[in-house]
Amino acid sequence: MSEEKIVKELPACPVETTLMLIGDKWKVLILRDLLSGTKRFGELKKSVGNVSQKVLTAQLRDMENNGLISRKVYAEVPPKVEYTLTELGESLKPILDAMQNWREGFKALNHK
């Protein structure tokens, strides 16, 4: 999907746009895990947690269609597939960092 097509489909509100692209629990966890580098499907399934194969596949496809990740398939048996953040996906790092920082503040406030 081209960037031009993505932009035409996005809501006018920046917050709504961000939520549309990464508002799902699994997408945020996938982003978190890919920030450290390329991962295979099985690695993501283990690191993301209690996600079904069907849901993980759907989330990865959606993120690929929105330009957040790239998928590379190797001609091997069994097939080897790797997922990597694109430049657009990596640009979400400050948002995930802010979420982690907020959590630390939340934890501190709730333990007073």
Side-chain angles (χ1 to χ4, degrees):
M1 182 178 282
S2 71
E3 273 190 51
E4 184 177 300
K5 186 172 182 186
I6 293 170
V7 172
K8 287 181 183 175
E9 295 175 0
L10 296 178
C13 172
V15 173
E16 189 178 350
T17 298
T18 305
L19 287 173
M20 184 191 86
L21 292 173
I22 65 165
D24 183 279
K25 166 187 171 180
W26 303 118
K27 288 178 184 171
V28 172
L29 297 177
I30 291 165
L31 287 169
R32 175 202 66 192
D33 292 346
L34 289 177
L35 280 170
S36 63
T38 300
K39 300 270 189 298
R40 293 182 65 179
F41 184 89
E43 292 174 306
L44 283 171
K45 184 147 179 13
K46 285 179 189 170
S47 65
V48 167
N50 247 353
V51 63
S52 71
Q53 183 166 330
K54 180 180 176 179
V55 169
L56 181 58
T57 298
Q59 297 299 300
L60 289 166
R61 281 190 186 138
D62 191 46
M63 293 173 74
E64 182 181 12
N65 288 337
N66 286 323
L68 299 176
I69 63 171
S70 63
R71 178 177 178 260
K72 184 173 184 179
V73 180
Y74 295 87
E76 296 179 3
V77 177
K80 177 181 173 184
V81 181
E82 293 182 336
Y83 296 90
T84 306
L85 288 178
T86 62
E87 187 175 340
L88 180 62
E90 288 190 20
S91 73
L92 293 164
K93 184 181 184 325
I95 294 171
L96 273 69
D97 289 345
M99 291 170 74
Q100 180 163 344
N101 291 338
W102 180 87
R103 189 239 183 227
E104 293 303 317
F106 174 80
K107 191 167 74 172
L109 287 173
N110 280 312
H111 289 356
K112 285 186 175 183

